[in-house]
Every structure is written in C-alpha cells, then in structure tokens.
Amino acid sequence: MKEMRLLRDLRHDNINSFIGACVEPMRILLVTDYCAKGSLYDIVENEDIKLDDLFIASLVHDLIKAMIYIHSSALNYHGNLKSSNCVVTSRWMLQVTDFGLHDLRHCAENESIGEHQHYRNLFWKSPELLRQPSVYGSQKGDVYAFAIILFEIIGRRGPFGYTELEPKEIIERVKAIPAEPDCEPFRPDIDSVLENESVPDYVINCIRDCWDENADLRPDFPSIRNRLKRMRGGKSKNIMDQMMEMMEKYANNLEEIVQDRTRLLCEEKRKTEDLLHRMLPQPVAEKLTKGLGVEPVSYDSVTIYFSDIVGFTAMSAESTPLQVVNFLNDLYTVFDRIIKGYDVYKVETIGDAYMVVSGLPITNGNRHVGEIASMALELLHAVRNHRIAHRPNETLKLRIGIHTGPVVAGVVGLTMPRYCLFGDTVNTASRMESNGEALKIHISQQCKDALDQLGGYVIVERGLIAMKGKGEVMTYWLEAATESAIQKIPVDLCDLPPPLFCRPRRSPKMTCDSRHPSMIGLPGATGSCMVNSSSYMPGSRRQSCAHRGGTCGGDHESSYSLQGSVYGCILPGAGGATIRRHEHSIRDSSLPPEDDDSQSAAAATAAATASVAGHFTTWQGGSNGRSDRGGRSVQQVSAQQQL
C-alpha cells in the first residue's frame, strides 16, 4: 500500500498517472489513464503510420523527460521499460507506464504468459539484470532498455531486427559474458540501421554507448538528452503545430490507402460482373445481384438456331480428349467472335451442339429472324474455311437448323442456375437441325415466312420432310443473303473479353490402358469391351434417325440417339471380330456367343448402355415423351431400341 501511495503521487506530463487498484479475492486490478493511440510498439510496427524526423524526435524526448523524472523521484528506476510500456495519448504525447509494484507485476506475468512470450518480454533487459533475476531493475538497466527502444523507432524492424533466432536463444546470447575483452557482445544488428542514410552518426553512437556491456560506461538520461538535442534540427515548431501537420499527413496517407483499396474492390467487382454476364443475360444478372427473383417471360416470336458437327462422335473416338477440347475451343472461339456482331444471345453449348436465340431477353421487333439468318450464313462461311488442328486434311461439316415461334424463358435451378428456353419452338428448331444436311441451313415454314416479310434472303424449297413427332413438314434451304438483308455490326476485337480457356503446357500423361481416352473399358468381361465416353454430355439430344435419301444408314453420326452409348465391343471368343454399334446390333443373331466370356461382355455392354441412357435430363416438354436441354421434347426410347 505504501508503494501504491507513492505511485499515485507521481505527476508528470510524460508519466501515465496511476489512479488506484481494485482488490479482488483472486486478483488485483490496476487502474491508469487511458491512452487512445495505443503503445509505442503498436505505432512502430504499423507501416501505415509514417514517422518523420520531427515526430521521432518528439517521441524520443518525451521518453527521455519521463525517465529523468522517474530517476529523480523516490521510485529511483523503472525496471520494466520497453516499447509496449510507452503509451501515446490522443494528442500524440508519449507517456511511460507499468513502473513500480515489481513483485505484483512479476507474479502476474509468470502466471499468464507462455515460455515464448516470457523470453520476448526480456528483450529490453540489460545483460547484468538477466544474470541476476532477483534484481528487478536499475538506472543503468533503464538506459540499456532505452537503447533498444531507440533502435526500434529508427529501424522499425522490431527490438532485434529481422532474425531467425528464437527469443530464448537471443536472451541466452545477450546474457552470455564475452569470452575476451575485445569480443563484441550480442546486440541488435546496428548495420541494418546504417543502411538508412537519414540516421545521423551521433544517434548511432548514442545507441552503442547506451547498450554497452559495461553498465558504468553507459550515460545517464541528462547526458542522453544533451546528445540527442540535435534531433530537432534547431526547429522551433511547437508540439501542437507538429501534431496538426502529422495528423494532416496521416489523413492524406489514409486517403491514399482508401483510394487504393476502393480501386482494387471496383476491379474485382468488374471481374465478377463480367464473368456473370458471360453466363446469364445482363438484365437477368442485374436482378440476381440485387437479390430479386427472375420471373419467367413469354415471348410471342423469337428465332432459334441449332447446329452440330457431322461425324463428331467418330472423330472423338479417334482423338484424345485433349485434342477434342482444343478443337471445340478453337471452333467456339470463332463462333463467339462472329455472333458478337449480331443482336443474338448464346444460350448454351453441349458437346458439339451450339444454340443461339434472337429476340430475347430484349425484343427487337421482327429483326430477330434476319439476325439469326445472317449470322448462320457467316458461321457457315467460317466453317468452310476452318481447319481442324489435329486433322488438317479433313473438312469440318456443320449442320444448321432454324425455326421461328413463341417461347418462354426463365432461370431454373438453385446451384449453377441456367437461363433456359421452353416450348415447342425449341423442339422444332432441334428437329430442323437433326433433319438437315451437312453445310446447309435448314429452315422451317414459319422462319421462311418471316424472312420473306423482312426481305433480302435467297430461299430454296426442299419439300416435304418426315419429321419425328411432327409428321410431314414443308421445309426450305437458306442459300444466301442480298444487300438488303440484316448486316453485321462492326466489332472491335480489342473489346472482346479475355478467353477463359487455357491450354495446358503439356499433354496429360496417359497410361497404357488409356491411349484412346474416348474409349473406356467395361468391368465384368475378360475381353476389352469399350464404351464411347468422350462425346457424352448429360442432356444430349441426339435420339432420332435422320432421313437422308430415304434411308437411315446414310450418316452414321446422326443415325443413333445417344452420345456416350455403346460404340464398339471386342469379343475375345468371336474369333477377333469387332462389332461396331453403327454396323451391327449387339443383339444380332448372326453373332452367337461361343463361351461365357462373350455372354458376359454382351451383358455388361447392355447394362452400360441402359446406364448411359438414364443420364437424359427429363424436362417436361410440349409434346409427349421425354425432353432434355432447354425443354426440347424427344420421344421415349427404350433400352432395346438404343442397343
């Protein structure tokens, strides 16, 4: 209690006032003045706070004045001086705290901190005090602690700079007595401070003298004040002017930080919006970002474009997955650049299928049919000149179908929501594509009537075509466009968004069983029974047998329904004969099984086909049967028909 009364009587501008203590059964709480700016350690470690020479000089002289007062008082010494015990008031005045009551503070620290923090708290202890733990402090020990604090303020790298040594090892080296008189004791790396040309020599010399190994050679604080008086540079600026200038610089620095963070935030927001607008129409994306629901919208008349690649399944079976991915990316990049010049919206791509619509989500009168027609003609022209990178001698054959009619559009799903189209118009457009021919644009009667009304397009009658689910339908070929047709809007290629696809630096390593990665083995057979998997996409829509020249065998690519169904099966007991799905049925009675292995292979093949068929998306379409992507209705096909 006597020492507490002594602490309460200490009054100085640079001494943090001791108000009193709250005694409880298991603890004693000390009450002192609150300092809004925190400790000197916090300020020095905060790189966002800029410390100029005048401000550093003010902090150092405040500390010196506080220590002179303590050393001249009845307290005699501080004993626990360190940067965390130097606090800064709201007026940026430094005050010293945590002095006195050494027995009480020592017991509290030993009970509340671990070994690592215990040794860190000893960084400011002088060597002679580390060697005598029973001695709490001395005036020369406070001078040593002042040298460490001054090194912290100038270097701003911590009490011992950037070092890989553990706190315990640092304390052991400081406590060790030099083996020879000429040997330098372990101290913070003063050379790191010398790299800063703005630090004058008299400050460096003062630091070295203050942490001298011989305590008797260390100067006292009045001498230190005289030696460091030049830090003010002879300036007569008062502390309030200095504080106002520092606050102005601090505010300007904060403004720069806020502007930089705001710029980074806006850049990230722009990237997010750009990615979202690639996935959904802009009006829909804006509603979703605002947390609003998107109601389905009915459109009286839109035009839908479908296309796919003739022979894609066969090409996928003969190519590696990486080659297929690179090919589709090259092709779709060409397509995406072309459609930028037209008022159209790309709905989706599934495998080799490409779906585009015009007239939604923003209506454009009767121009939608012309936009799609002109776009289709340009896409067809681009395909004729496009070369496949890994098969340069082959010509790419695109089959296009177009139909005009009403649809309903809306966002479906919770996870990865998609903007989908629903209605018989989608189904009919798909039928126009699947019943078309390579390198031709197949259009419906409704599309032809809309183009005639718009004018500017050359159309040739094809005749009545037996269309699945539609019966006999009159269709037409779109041959060319005249000068009065819808023209492409000029597009600056620099305005196009950056590509999302990144080619791998090297091809993925293939095992000996995966040299043809589009064919995977079926379990349960001793032979090698393969299933085409590279071109399978969930929701694939090829199910109908296209009529070409009155037969179904003219084009093997579109004669069968499932991408991803059984492509071929090699039966070891059949004399090495290879059974291909587009040549023979697995149930062909001309291939009797000769052993149990052949029967197992056939059974596994049938099971795999039924499993793949189960991957169809079951949207409820406008006609009877099952429907898949975008609501297009296709007829139910049994597993036996798939085989």
Side-chain angles (χ1 to χ4, degrees), residues 36-191:
K37 299 300 181 183
S39 68
L40 178 62
Y41 180 85
D42 298 331
I43 295 175
V44 170
E45 291 294 320
N46 189 352
E47 297 181 354
D48 293 335
I49 299 178
K50 307 300 180 183
L51 300 178
D52 62 1
D53 295 340
L54 190 59
F55 190 59
I56 291 176
S58 177
L59 294 175
V60 171
H61 279 81
D62 285 346
L63 177 56
I64 294 173
K65 287 186 288 185
M67 295 309 301
I68 291 176
Y69 176 79
I70 290 177
H71 285 188
S72 60
S73 69
L75 200 60
N76 194 30
Y77 62 87
H78 188 291
N80 193 28
L81 183 62
K82 51 188 175 183
S83 56
S84 59
N85 289 340
C86 299
V87 293
V88 181
T89 67
S90 58
R91 301 179 61 186
W92 291 94
M93 180 180 292
L94 185 142
Q95 294 182 345
V96 175
T97 186
D98 279 3
F99 45 81
L101 302 176
H102 300 292
D103 292 329
L104 184 63
R105 300 180 193 274
H106 182 72
C107 294
E109 284 188 359
N110 289 341
E111 294 177 358
S112 60
I113 61 177
E115 181 185 25
H116 184 274
Q117 187 61 35
H118 168 72
Y119 283 104
R120 276 193 60 85
N121 290 340
L122 298 178
F123 280 168
W124 295 264
K125 282 283 186 185
S126 62
E128 66 274 10
L129 295 179
L130 291 174
R131 299 177 191 126
Q132 299 177 347
S134 60
V135 179
Y136 288 130
S138 65
Q139 291 188 356
K140 296 300 182 179
D142 291 343
V143 173
Y144 177 90
F146 171 80
I148 300 296
I149 294 174
L150 186 56
F151 175 82
E152 283 186 84
I153 297 175
I154 296 174
R156 304 192 74 170
R157 302 181 181 181
F160 275 83
Y162 299 144
T163 177
E164 297 180 355
L165 299 177
E166 290 294 325
K168 183 177 181 180
E169 187 175 357
I170 292 176
I171 296 303
E172 293 296 333
R173 293 192 181 190
V174 172
K175 187 169 61 174
I177 301 175
E180 299 179 2
D182 297 336
C183 182
E184 289 289 334
F186 183 80
R187 295 294 184 270
D189 186 11
I190 196 69
D191 293 335

